[in-house]
Amino acid sequence: MDESPFLKLKLWQWWQWWLLVAINIFFLIVGQAASVLLGRLYYDKGGNSKWMATLVQTAGFPVLCIPWFLLRPSREASTSSTSPSIKTLALLYFVLGVLVAGDNMLYSVGLLYLSASTYSLIYATQLAFNAVFSYFLNSQKFTALILNSVVILSLSAALVAVNDDSDRPSGVPKGKFLIGFLCTIGASALYSLLLSFMQLSFQKVLKKETFSVVLEMQIYTSVVASCLSTIGLFASGEWKSLQHEMEVFGTGRVSYMLTLVWTAITWQVCAVGVVGLIFVVSSLFSNVISTLSLAVTPLAALVVFHDKMNGAKI
């Protein structure tokens, strides 16, 4: 009888943990599938700015400010002795933001020259990279399952590189396809490093067990990445062509704006799921779910674009 309240508390904590995991998995799968398809739609309908495609991946961070303010702990709790200094947090979020911006740029180039299905298959190699980074940064042990996944995914990417003509978007020469392939591999590796670094940051620097920390990391790193992407947009001169890009967009000016807005929102939904799973479980688990969700992208593309693309490859 004395243990009954304790058992009920443990059962309630167990349900809370699984509910949080399920919510983050849902955010990751839905956000990633939708953002990849919208990114491909942007290019297919006439969008051509790699820096704009990079910027929208982090520019939606203001939508996270409301839940962050609601979940933020009190001033007394946030200034405890275990909290890192402002300089440490600033350096941490700046480094993470730079990694995010670099990964987003590589992703944008990869998706420009690859179909959504080919991109998803190659990007799945992130699990192999994450297994290596998790071993060195997060003390994750190698298992037979992990090694098997590394071999299978690496062979799959190699087959795509060899047989690139089978699923190359129309009008993309072989040289550009190779650039897209290499950029996607680079984005996969950098993304895996980013996840392991985030997990290390939760364990060694932040040391907090609140979901507001997840939102805080996503908001501040997105601010840094968005600033860098904006600088790139203006420094490259691509901003000059945005007006023309909007006018010639295949489905109209309003559709152009909505595509960018919803791409920004869905990327933030995906990012919250990714960072949330790192916080609740581990970077490797987050990457496993991210890799599995990539299988949803080609299926969703077939459903969404089958009639609209008139037989064109997705």
Side-chain angles (χ1 to χ4, degrees):
M1 294 294 294
D2 294 336
E3 293 181 358
S4 180
F6 176 75
L7 291 176
K8 289 181 179 179
L9 177 61
K10 296 294 290 184
L11 182 62
W12 171 244
Q13 291 175 340
W14 182 82
W15 275 108
Q16 280 186 316
W17 185 86
W18 274 109
L19 178 62
L20 194 57
V21 170
I23 291 174
N24 283 301
I25 289 176
F26 175 78
F27 283 168
L28 195 162
I29 292 176
V30 173
Q32 181 164 269
S35 56
V36 170
L37 293 179
L38 287 170
R40 184 64 253 176
L41 178 67
Y42 167 76
Y43 288 131
D44 287 340
K45 295 300 180 181
N48 196 43
S49 173
K50 295 183 289 293
W51 280 109
M52 176 56 72
T54 301
L55 176 60
V56 295
Q57 293 177 57
T58 53
F61 68 86
V63 301
L64 303 179
C65 291
I66 294 178
W68 178 57
F69 278 116
L70 294 176
L71 296 173
R72 192 171 56 170
S74 62
R75 181 177 298 272
E76 290 78 8
S78 61
T79 57
S80 63
S81 58
T82 60
S83 299
S85 65
I86 298 298
K87 291 182 179 180
T88 301
L89 287 176
L91 179 60
L92 173 64
Y93 292 143
F94 177 78
V95 172
L96 289 174
V98 171
L99 291 176
V100 169
D103 179 66
N104 290 347
M105 184 57 184
L106 290 173
Y107 158 85
S108 299
V109 176
L111 195 59
L112 175 62
Y113 299 131
L114 301 177
S115 65
S117 55
T118 302
Y119 165 83
S120 298
L121 178 59
I122 300 174
Y123 203 65
T125 56
Q126 65 190 32
L127 184 58
F129 289 113
N130 192 227
V132 176
F133 289 130
S134 295
Y135 176 80
F136 288 105
L137 295 179
N138 310 126
S139 301
Q140 178 73 46
K141 294 182 179 180
F142 280 116
T143 64
L145 180 60
I146 293 176
L147 293 175
N148 186 51
S149 301
V150 169
V151 173
I152 292 176
L153 292 172
S154 299
L155 288 176
S156 299
L159 289 174
V160 171
V162 173
N163 193 30
D164 58 359
D165 291 329
S166 62
D167 195 27
R168 190 191 310 168
S170 58
V172 176
K174 189 172 183 177
K176 293 291 183 64
F177 183 92
L178 181 60
I179 292 175
F181 175 84
L182 294 176
C183 285
T184 305
I185 290 290
S188 176
L190 190 56
Y191 178 76
S192 300
L193 175 62
L194 180 64
L195 295 189
S196 295
F197 191 34
M198 283 183 173
Q199 181 179 345
L200 188 66
S201 300
F202 281 127
Q203 294 171 342
K204 303 297 184 180
V205 181
L206 299 176
K207 299 179 182 180
K208 294 180 181 178
E209 298 183 357
T210 60
F211 198 71
S212 64
V213 176
V214 174
L215 296 176
E216 179 181 293
M217 173 178 284
Q218 180 57 28
I219 290 172
Y220 286 134
T221 55
S222 293
V223 169
V224 175
S226 297
C227 290
L228 295 175
S229 300
T230 302
I231 293 173
L233 179 65
F234 282 93
S236 66
E238 288 186 0
W239 66 274
K240 299 177 182 178
S241 63
L242 295 182
Q243 181 66 32
H244 175 72
E245 189 175 276
M246 183 186 303
E247 293 174 353
V248 301
F249 197 70
T251 51
R253 297 166 61 95
V254 175
S255 179
Y256 175 83
M257 295 301 300
L258 288 176
T259 299
L260 294 180
V261 169
W262 280 108
T263 301
I265 293 175
T266 53
W267 270 120
Q268 290 303 307
V269 172
C270 173
V272 169
V274 169
V275 181
L277 287 178
I278 295 174
F279 172 74
V280 178
V281 190
S282 69
S283 64
L284 189 58
F285 181 79
S286 179
N287 216 333
V288 168
I289 300 300
S290 180
T291 302
L292 291 176
S293 71
L294 290 171
V296 177
T297 303
L299 298 177
L302 288 174
V303 174
V304 175
F305 296 132
H306 178 70
D307 296 327
K308 296 182 179 180
M309 299 299 291
N310 295 322
K313 291 181 179 179
I314 54 175

